[in-house]
Amino acid sequence: MRPLRIGWLIAAIAVSALPFAYPLLHPDLVGGPLPGAAGVAGMLGALAMWWQVLLGARQVSRWLSADRGRIMAVHAWLGAGGAFFVFLHPLLEMTADRHDLTYLVLIDFTWVESTYTSLGRLALMMFLVLWLSSTLLRAAARHGLWQRVHYLSYPLVALVFLHAYGIGTFLVELPWLRAYWLVLAGTFAVVAAWRLLSPLLAPRYRLAAVERVSAGVTVYRLVSRGRRIRPLPGQFCHLRVATLARSHPFSVVYADEATGELVFAIKDAGPFTARLRELPVGATVRVDGPYGAFTREAQLDDGPVVLVAGGIGVTPFVDLAARHPDAALYHAVRHPEEAVFAYDLAHRLGPRYVPAPAPDRLTAARVTRDATEDTAYFVCGSPGFVASMVRDLRAHGVPARRLFIERFEW
């Protein structure tokens, strides 16, 4: 699949919002400009959340693009824009009806209209928790907690659809807009159902071999039990040790097209990697993927390529570096256990593999020494390593269009 063109996706989002502009041009349908603006703000906030759910479900968004990084960039952009409309909607409603601040939190299920209004208030409270966990509290929250909080988006969006349909506003006056709203609601239901079912449908692999290659890195070899996936060099997959357990993403080191064997090199990092190490040979592992288009340009481009890896972030490059005739691989190793595949890479690449021990940190001056204007740079590693290297490369004049990054997160 070709990388996603962000322009096309932004255009699709804009077009999907156009139907909600109609009530603004006909304020008489909803009792005036302010009530109309309040209703439209709510609809646009709901639409932004609908798109976020669609793009956030990797099992669904993969059909738009394998480029997960760009998908999530749009997802984050929608979160910022959607939050504005979500918070604006109740404030405008409160102003239009001349209520005080208790209007925002009053829960009342005594009659039909108050029930549907209260569903909206519950959705607002859930959205506030979601928004706080993604902004002000993101640095303090563990990734697992952050991910579990994000599951609130599914009941949240369901409440929003029920709230708007029950209240009615201009959905009652405009049957075609009500039909559009129901299509969005139906699509959301399908995406939510697929998101829940996808773990049951992920391909099953057998753990064929486990090899401890250093003090902190283990190599796992998986063989298909039936349906196979075919990742390209640099792509990653989500591994799950039980059907309903939480999955974790890891880059594929090797993928044997003939046998279907997949190889992962995984650094010790928390409870999940500890559970992986405890699995016996022969155990079943669910593999969801492949995802990512990080190194696609390197596979298609015949020009010179510079690969810059930080520690275990070398895994997306192991197979790619051997396949690409002009790839130079720079590998910054802070700890000896991160020098995984160093011997193999040195044997296969010769002088094109350049390890850099901790005292000799990689710099942009070093990796750009033999580069040309057509050189493409691929940087993978921890968030701190990637941020530092990218800043250095940009300071040395590497254009953004020739720079590709992937942060190696657990």
Side-chain angles (χ1 to χ4, degrees):
M1 180 177 289
R2 296 185 63 82
L4 177 70
R5 292 186 177 181
I6 292 296
W8 286 106
L9 181 56
I10 299 298
I13 294 171
V15 169
S16 69
L18 287 179
F20 300 120
Y22 184 85
L24 291 178
L25 303 176
H26 300 81
D28 54 302
L29 293 175
V30 288
L34 191 56
V40 170
M43 294 294 182
L44 291 178
L47 183 66
M49 288 188 287
W50 180 88
W51 274 105
Q52 279 196 290
V53 168
L54 182 70
L55 299 179
R58 64 179 183 272
Q59 297 87 350
V60 177
S61 62
R62 66 184 298 181
W63 299 107
L64 296 176
S65 172
D67 194 338
R68 187 68 181 159
R70 291 192 178 188
I71 287 285
M72 295 313 295
V74 177
H75 175 86
W77 173 79
L78 285 167
F84 171 77
F85 289 111
V86 168
F87 291 132
L88 180 63
H89 167 64
L91 293 176
L92 290 178
E93 290 282 7
M94 182 180 68
T95 303
D97 294 337
R98 299 183 179 180
H99 292 294
D100 56 25
L101 289 175
T102 58
Y103 174 82
L104 300 178
V105 295
L106 180 63
I107 304 298
D108 180 10
F109 293 105
T110 57
W111 55 298
V112 175
E113 184 175 351
S114 68
T115 295
Y116 284 112
T117 303
S118 295
L119 293 180
R121 293 181 179 122
L122 290 174
L124 178 63
M125 295 174 190
M126 295 170 68
F127 182 84
L128 183 61
V129 172
L130 197 61
W131 179 76
L132 287 174
S133 71
S134 300
T135 53
L136 302 180
L137 303 179
R138 181 63 185 96
R142 294 176 62 89
H143 182 77
L145 175 61
W146 171 84
Q147 187 180 54
R148 285 190 287 273
V149 170
H150 259 59
Y151 290 145
L152 284 175
S153 59
Y154 289 92
L156 161 62
V157 175
L159 287 176
V160 168
F161 277 113
L162 289 173
H163 161 72
Y165 191 81
I167 293 297
T169 60
F170 41 78
L171 293 181
V172 175
E173 302 293 337
L174 300 171
W176 62 269
L177 192 58
R178 183 167 67 251
Y180 179 55
W181 188 251
L182 290 174
V183 168
L184 292 176
T187 307
F188 164 75
V190 171
V191 170
W194 178 250
R195 177 70 179 81
L196 292 172
L197 290 174
S198 57
L200 303 175
L201 304 176
R204 297 164 64 249
Y205 275 72
R206 178 177 61 85
L207 182 58
V210 179
E211 180 184 2
R212 191 71 167 172
V213 295
S214 74
V217 178
T218 306
V219 171
Y220 301 87
R221 297 182 181 276
L222 305 179
V223 177
S224 172
R225 289 189 181 274
R227 184 159 54 96
R228 299 178 181 178
I229 62 173
R230 294 175 172 80
L232 297 172
Q235 288 191 299
F236 64 92
C237 297
H238 280 254
L239 304 185
R240 183 181 281 110
V241 296
T243 302
L244 299 180
R246 180 184 164 209
S247 66
H248 292 254
F250 297 100
S251 298
V252 179
V253 179
Y254 297 112
D256 192 315
E257 297 180 2
T259 64
E261 181 184 66
L262 302 179
V263 178
F264 297 88
I266 299 176
K267 182 180 177 181
D268 298 349
F272 181 79
T273 56
R275 288 196 296 272
L276 273 180
R277 294 195 304 274
E278 294 171 357
L279 289 180
V281 172
T284 296
V285 178
R286 295 274 184 172
V287 181
D288 175 20
Y291 298 100
F294 173 51
T295 59
R296 185 178 187 276
E297 288 79 4
Q299 297 165 45
L300 299 179
D301 194 344
D302 293 331
V305 170
V306 171
L307 311 174
V308 185
I312 195 65
V314 74
T315 51
F317 299 140
V318 172
D319 195 20
L320 174 64
R323 294 190 185 193
H324 200 291
D326 298 313
L329 174 56
Y330 293 85
H331 188 191
V333 180
R334 291 178 179 270
H335 307 288
E337 64 266 20
E338 293 180 344
V340 61
F341 301 115
Y343 177 82
D344 186 34
L345 288 167
H347 179 72
R348 296 168 68 183
L349 302 180
R352 291 191 291 129
Y353 174 65
V354 184
D360 186 20
R361 292 284 306 281
L362 285 179
T363 63
R366 185 175 185 185
V367 302
T368 60
R369 183 172 49 195
D370 300 321
T372 68
E373 293 183 356
D374 296 330
T375 300
Y377 296 84
F378 295 80
V379 183
C380 183
S382 67
F385 172 83
V386 170
S388 175
M389 180 56 65
V390 168
R391 281 196 304 268
D392 206 6
L393 287 170
R394 286 175 176 168
H396 274 68
V398 175
R401 63 183 178 82
R402 305 301 294 169
L403 183 59
F404 308 92
I405 64 174
E406 181 172 83
R407 295 173 179 84
F408 199 82
E409 305 214 29
W410 302 102

